[in-house]
């Protein structure tokens, strides 16, 4: 079955900030974490759960790619 998307205007700075603490725990303490968000980052029309999943996947893929 397909996931039903709930599209809504999202402030990506807030989504990143809200997800950051979880991402820090998932990637581990041995990896230095730095978040840089462009001040021009605004809103996007997206599903908040899907955006958080995308951020999680990016972080986990980056962790796996490290030596």
């Amino acid at each position: 079955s397909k996931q039903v998307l709930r599209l809504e205007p999202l402030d990506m700075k807030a989504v990143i900030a809200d997800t950051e603490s979880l991402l820090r725990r998932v990637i581990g303490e041995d990896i230095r974490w730095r978040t840089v968000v462009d001040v021009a980052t605004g809103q996007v029309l997206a599903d908040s759960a899907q955006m958080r999943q995308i951020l999680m996947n990016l972080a986990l893929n980056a962790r796996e790619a490290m030596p």
Side-chain angles (χ1 to χ4, degrees), residues 24-45:
R24 286 178 184 270
R25 288 192 303 268
V26 168
I27 64 168
E29 294 179 8
D30 56 328
I31 297 174
R32 188 172 3 147
W33 178 272
R34 187 172 135 203
T35 303
V36 178
V37 180
D38 190 315
V39 294
T41 300
Q43 289 190 339
V44 296
L45 186 62

Side-chain angles (χ1 to χ4, degrees), residues 39-55:
V39 294
T41 300
Q43 289 190 339
V44 296
L45 186 62
D47 180 278
S48 63
Q50 190 175 47
M51 291 307 295
R52 285 175 172 74
Q53 185 63 52
I54 289 167
L55 291 170

